[in-house]
Structures are given as structure tokens and as C-alpha cells.
Amino acid sequence: MSDMYNVSSSPHVRSKDTTDRIMLYVIIALLPASLFGIYNFGFHALLLIVITILSCVVSEWAFDKITKRKDTIRDLSAVVTGLLLALNLPPTLPWWMAIVGGVFAIVIVKCLFGGLGQNFMNPALGGRCFLLISFTGPMTSFANSKYYISQGMDAISSATPLAALKAGESVNTMDMLIGRIPGTIGETSVIAVLIGAIFLILMGVIDLKIPATYIITFIIFVLLFGGHGFDWSYVVAHLCGGGLMLGAFFMATDYVTSPITPLGKIIFGIVLGILTGIFRIFGASAEGVSYAIIFSNLLVPLIERVTIPKPFGKGGER
């Protein structure tokens, strides 16, 4: 009889997925972009990835020790933050700047606000934007891929395809799709990013509401306000350039900083698409994904407040 009447507090239905398992899935999904970035830019890209991950893990461990909190590095969230931050860094960035970005992402953005589940913005993007403001020159100096270096081009080039596109120059969309372009370590190959995204979708870690709404909204914005009419090569270049795909599937879908309601996810994606379009088309910079995601993160409490379903029998609705 005691087995039939089991009284417990909610929630009564629990997922089998744990935080560390989800984070492990994300790490696996980021491996294609990471490995391609190392292949594309060489040893210094690997060094930055390792150093940034270590700085994030050590920062969280030290914060837990100093504040006498429970050890949280085993949930792998610090590893994910470090890997995402590294993939958003130029491959030529000095190693000590990567450490500064990792410490800021973990201590300031994540731990000081209560740790995992309490941060108000994506920690990796918070660290990237901090570095971008503090060290604008190194953060906007991008290396050519090994392919173009082998063709006799300089190792360092400050012009990304998005910058060339904004200046009215032509770009090679096939190179952008494959990844033979200047850029950050993990954003150059759309194919590698999509392989990881498909893995996350198949494992049920993310769904398509946010990334699909984000990308569709951005396409519509570019078609309407890009100044090129229905030039699909221009649209494809915008989709393949910069961190749009990496941001749409790996950072905009962050559980903590994105809405939990179905309608909220759609609104969130629309806001992301509009802000990215504004930053890229009308802003001074050719990129805009990081700031678009951070600003949208700040709107999540408001989005959830207006989209949360009313409990049954509440509010007089019938």
C-alpha cells in the first residue's frame, strides 16, 4: 500500500538529463568547430582554447573556495563557457587577454550573480564584449586561414568578409561556407557549426524555435533594409559571415538566459534577428551578434512575464 501512495513535492515529472550531461553534449557539439579552427589557424588557436578553458575552470574553483561554496566545476559549465569564449576570440589574441576574458566571464558575469542558473547574460559573450571594449585593436585583428597563407597572402588581415561586404566589396560565399576566411577561431566554418547544431537537436538539448525564428527574422530584415533588394547571394554572405550561426545555435539557446515559454522563444528570436540586422546594416561595426544576444538576454524577464501561461482558472479567462 505504501508503494501506491507516494507523496512528494513538485515537480513530479523529472528529466533524466543532468547538467553535466547536457554540458558534455554541448562540448561534443562544439568539437567540429574547435577542430576546424585549430586546423585553420594553427597552434596558437589550440593554445587559446586550452588557456581560456583553464582560466574559466580555475576561476570558478577559486571563487568557490574563497566564498566557501559547494564545488561546481564538475558540472562542466565552466568548461563550456571557456570553450565558447575561446571560439569567439581572434586566433592571434595574446594569451593573457584570453585569461582576463575567462576570469571576467566566470567571476563577474556568472559567480557574482549566484552561479549557474542565476547569470543575467551569457557569460562567454559577456567576456567577449568586455575584451572587445577593453582591447579593441587585438580583438579586431584577424588572421588569414592557412589556405590563403599558402597562396602567398599575409598571415594577418584586418578585413573580414563582413567588413568587405559592408564596404561594398564582393566576397566568396563558398569560402565563407567552408571556412577559408579571416575570423574568430570557431565562427569561420558554417558547415562545422551546423554539424554540431544537428547533434544538439538530435540529442534533444535544443529545439529550433529560437535559432529558426532568429535566422528567418534576420533574412527578412536584410531583404527589406539591406539595400540590395532580393539579392540572395548578399543574404547568404550575411548568414555565413561572422558569428550568426554560432550565436544562433550555441549561445542564443542558452537555457539560463533565454525564455522558457514557447511564445517567448519566438519573440526572443524575432528580437535577436531585428537587433542583429540593425547592428550590421546601420551600425558602425560589420558584426552585431554578440551585442544582439546580450541585449536580448536583458529582455528575457520581461518577455517571460508577458508570455507565461495563466494557471487554470486564473484571470477570469474561460
Side-chain angles (χ1 to χ4, degrees), residues 162 214 243 272 275-277 279-280 285-293:
L162 279 183
Y214 182 6
L272 282 170
L275 287 178
T276 304
F279 291 145
R280 282 196 178 182
S285 173
E287 184 57 284
V289 172
S290 297
Y291 290 114
I293 294 176

Side-chain angles (χ1 to χ4, degrees), residues 37-102:
I38 295 167
Y39 164 79
N40 209 21
F41 298 114
F43 174 76
H44 195 70
L46 172 61
L47 181 65
L48 282 179
I49 291 174
V50 173
I51 286 177
T52 310
I53 291 174
L54 285 176
S55 69
C56 288
V57 173
V58 171
S59 296
E60 186 158 323
W61 174 84
F63 188 90
D64 290 340
K65 289 295 182 182
I66 293 171
T67 58
K68 295 181 171 54
R69 298 193 328 172
K70 179 183 176 182
D71 185 7
T72 57
I73 61 173
R74 290 184 178 85
D75 63 16
L76 299 179
S77 62
V79 176
V80 171
T81 297
L83 183 54
L84 279 173
L85 175 58
L87 296 182
N88 278 279
L89 299 178
T92 56
L93 191 75
W95 60 268
W96 64 270
M97 291 185 186
I99 294 177
V100 172

Side-chain angles (χ1 to χ4, degrees), residues 140-313:
T140 54
S141 179
F142 299 102
N144 268 317
S145 67
K146 287 183 177 179
Y147 172 80
Y148 283 107
I149 296 173
S150 68
Q151 302 300 310
M153 295 189 179
D154 294 334
I156 305 297
S157 173
S158 60
T160 62
L162 279 183
L165 200 66
K166 194 173 183 68
E169 303 172 11
S170 60
V171 296
N172 189 322
T173 53
M174 183 55 66
D175 282 351
M176 297 173 74
L177 184 66
I178 297 172
R180 298 185 303 201
I181 56 174
T184 66
I185 296 172
E187 73 180 15
T188 54
S189 175
V190 174
I191 294 175
V193 172
L194 290 179
I195 290 172
I198 291 171
F199 173 78
L200 288 184
I201 294 169
L202 292 177
M203 299 306 296
V205 177
I206 64 172
D207 61 35
L208 284 172
K209 286 188 183 69
I210 291 175
T213 308
Y214 182 6
I215 293 170
I216 291 172
T217 302
F218 178 74
I219 290 173
I220 294 172
F221 190 97
V222 171
L223 289 174
L224 293 177
F225 303 105
H228 289 256
F230 287 85
D231 183 354
W232 287 102
S233 62
Y234 178 77
V235 175
V236 172
H238 264 291
L239 292 177
C240 295
L244 193 143
M245 289 298 175
L246 184 66
F249 289 101
F250 287 95
M251 288 173 281
T253 55
D254 176 31
Y255 287 0
V256 179
T257 56
S258 63
I260 60 174
T261 61
L263 179 58
K265 291 180 179 181
I266 294 174
I267 295 174
F268 185 69
I270 293 172
V271 173
L272 282 170
I274 293 173
L275 287 178
T276 304
I278 291 173
F279 291 145
R280 282 196 178 182
I281 303 301
F282 302 110
S285 173
E287 184 57 284
V289 172
S290 297
Y291 290 114
I293 294 176
I294 285 178
F295 282 130
S296 298
N297 289 159
L298 300 178
L299 295 176
V300 167
L302 177 60
I303 293 173
E304 289 188 335
R305 182 176 181 181
V306 299
T307 60
I308 196 78
K310 291 184 178 180
F312 181 75

